[in-house]
Amino acid sequence: MDDKKRCETDILYLDEDQMIEAGVLDAGRCVDVMEETMGLLSDGDCLMGGPNHDAHGLMLFFPKESPIPGFPLNDSADRRFIAMPAYLGGRFHKAGVKWYGSNGRNRSCGLPRSILMFMLNDVETGMPLAYMSANLLSAMRTGAMPGLAVRHLARPDSKVLTILGPGVIGKANFLAVMSQMKNIDTVLIKGSTPASKSAKSFVDFVKAHAPQVKDVRVCATMEEAIRPADIVVEAISCKEGEWPEYKAEWFKPGVTFICTNAFNMDYRSIVDMRKVVDNLGMFVNYADEDDEGYDENGDREHTGCMGEDFVYMSRDGLLDLDTVDQIGDIVRGKKPGRKSDDEKILVSIEGIPIEDVAWGTECYENALKKGIGTKLKLWDQPKAL
């Protein structure tokens, strides 16, 4: 980088409409970028927070009660703040942080539950390069990971796709999977109820974005939605401890089951399923921090996070943690993709901040090429005290 470019101090601000113009909704391209990102994770060419440099982020939890008048309380669903910092190497060579606040009461005043922003920084000088609206950025990079999983793990002849949780992330999951799987002709949907608004709107979403799909159905039960599926993608929003329960016998041979949120399955019933995660170290960290115990029957308490449960299964002697593959190692050819047509594959994806750096960098560079965004001045000359 030349000295003039290095010393620039303008920050590019991108609002949501400008992010769309910069390509944030391009699901197929986002899958490509996530493939690069997971490869760099496998190479070790990245840094995240935490002592092992692989943490999901740092979260502010609010107490349920406080003696301090006016202190913010955890008195609504999902009230929290999270900072997710990371550096990503390769062609990206950028640092960044996603920062978001969340409150379940937001919906009552027309706001999304979570409101996200992303800051991208020059890794050499530390200068901020861009500040951007990140709700769509985060949703699309989250959805792209199931798209990447099916690219490498799903049967190419897959025809039936099931979406569990027809919300925003469910839509992003759908777009990404459909960008990779051209033979899908049936989409099954399971929402909170068959008559839920989100399920009905998802039917319209499928028809608008995938006219090749001939059969779109809202299912009454989880079992009805799962049994016929070649690919199942889960993104159900639920309260802590109220996770849905799935049965291993519902999943047919050859299925690719991708989870991005919380659910439970009996540990012993999934021992023989192949297990793949995005970032195994992160799940080990979760298990060390949570240290879940056992119930009155001597069974391990579930966490709702399947990747974390894999770690507990290994500690209970049900599996060898070395048999849990990482998507990045599959991308790099260190581990195989699908091994057989009948193999049942369970993929646990939690989301990691290098994904935000990657897709944020892509959108930022597209915006520069297209002349999109608003320049904000940091200073003319930094003032010294």
Side-chain angles (χ1 to χ4, degrees):
M1 182 185 299
D2 62 61
D3 288 342
K4 181 178 180 182
K5 185 70 175 175
R6 181 186 299 275
C7 295
E8 287 184 0
T9 59
D10 285 338
I11 304 168
L12 190 67
Y13 173 70
L14 297 166
D15 64 27
E16 187 167 79
D17 289 337
Q18 291 165 337
M19 288 292 287
I20 293 171
E21 191 177 353
V24 73
L25 295 179
D26 187 340
R29 178 58 185 158
C30 194
V31 173
D32 293 338
V33 172
M34 291 305 104
E35 185 169 61
E36 287 185 79
T37 305
M38 291 300 103
L40 291 168
L41 175 63
S42 179
D43 298 340
D45 193 3
C46 60
L47 284 174
M48 290 171 276
N52 299 316
H53 310 298
D54 57 8
H56 180 76
L58 181 65
M59 188 181 303
L60 288 178
F61 292 100
F62 291 99
K64 293 187 179 297
E65 56 185 34
S66 171
I68 302 173
F71 198 90
L73 302 178
N74 183 18
D75 54 359
S76 73
D78 201 34
R79 185 171 188 171
R80 56 185 171 146
F81 286 91
I82 306 178
M84 298 173 62
Y87 160 75
L88 184 62
R91 70 173 177 90
F92 302 97
H93 194 57
K94 299 285 192 302
V97 60
K98 182 169 72 179
W99 169 250
Y100 70 92
S102 180
N103 193 318
R105 285 199 297 267
N106 284 356
R107 294 189 180 94
S108 66
C109 55
L111 292 174
R113 174 182 57 81
S114 297
I115 300 172
L116 301 85
M117 298 299 294
F118 180 72
M119 174 72 80
L120 188 68
N121 290 75
D122 182 282
V123 76
E124 302 297 333
T125 66
M127 280 294 302
L129 299 171
Y131 187 56
M132 59 190 76
S133 172
N135 277 53
L136 293 177
L137 182 152
S138 187
M140 293 305 294
R141 67 79 156 159
T142 301
M145 288 300 293
L148 179 61
V150 301
R151 174 183 285 184
H152 289 273
L153 297 169
R155 289 178 52 144
D157 60 352
S158 296
K159 292 186 176 181
V160 181
L161 167 64
T162 288
I163 298 291
L164 305 178
V168 171
I169 300 302
K171 290 177 179 177
N173 291 338
F174 172 77
L175 292 174
V177 171
M178 293 302 295
S179 76
Q180 306 301 308
M181 307 302 294
K182 303 305 182 184
N183 293 321
I184 297 293
D185 60 17
T186 301
V187 175
L188 305 178
I189 304 159
K190 178 64 179 77
S192 55
T193 67
S196 69
K197 290 182 179 179
S198 60
K200 290 182 176 180
S201 70
F202 203 94
V203 172
D204 296 333
F205 186 83
V206 171
K207 292 178 178 178
H209 290 86
Q212 72 272 28
V213 174
K214 304 306 180 186
D215 185 7
V216 187
R217 279 178 277 151
V218 178
C219 297
T221 67
M222 293 289 186
E223 183 176 2
E224 178 189 349
I226 291 171
R227 280 195 180 274
D230 300 304
I231 299 169
V232 179
V233 186
E234 178 275 338
I236 292 177
S237 178
C238 53
K239 294 180 180 179
E240 185 176 354
E242 298 181 6
W243 308 297
E245 182 88 23
Y246 305 146
K247 303 295 184 183
E249 61 264 27
W250 296 348
F251 296 87
K252 71 181 188 180
V255 72
T256 305
F257 176 30
I258 305 160
C259 53
T260 66
N261 206 343
F263 69 95
N264 286 335
M265 290 178 74
D266 178 71
Y267 290 146
R268 292 172 180 82
S269 71
I270 61 172
V271 167
D272 293 333
M273 295 178 73
R274 184 178 176 192
K275 299 161 190 67
V276 179
V277 298
D278 50 357
N279 182 7
L280 185 57
M282 179 177 65
F283 293 120
V284 172
N285 292 339
Y286 285 178
D288 289 341
E289 292 169 2
D290 295 338
D291 193 22
E292 293 293 340
Y294 299 84
D295 63 21
E296 64 275 9
N297 298 317
D299 293 325
R300 175 77 75 167
E301 295 281 2
H302 287 269
T303 67
C305 175
M306 190 51 60
E308 183 177 354
D309 285 345
F310 294 162
V311 179
Y312 290 128
M313 289 174 68
S314 73
R315 294 177 180 178
D316 291 343
L318 294 175
L319 64 82
D320 183 343
L321 205 57
D322 289 340
T323 65
V324 179
D325 294 330
Q326 297 189 99
I327 292 177
D329 292 341
I330 295 171
V331 167
R332 284 292 189 253
K334 301 174 185 177
K335 295 291 180 68
R338 173 169 286 275
K339 300 174 184 177
S340 71
D341 286 347
D342 289 339
E343 184 180 32
K344 294 183 179 182
I345 304 177
L346 174 53
V347 185
S348 181
I349 294 170
E350 182 73 4
I352 45 181
I354 57 173
E355 297 165 11
D356 300 297
V357 175
W359 196 225
T361 298
E362 185 81 3
C363 293
Y364 166 69
E365 291 177 350
N366 287 343
L368 291 180
K369 292 174 185 175
K370 295 181 178 182
I372 300 166
T374 303
K375 286 191 175 183
L376 305 176
K377 185 176 71 172
L378 184 62
W379 54 54
D380 290 318
Q381 289 291 331
K383 304 296 191 292
L385 292 177

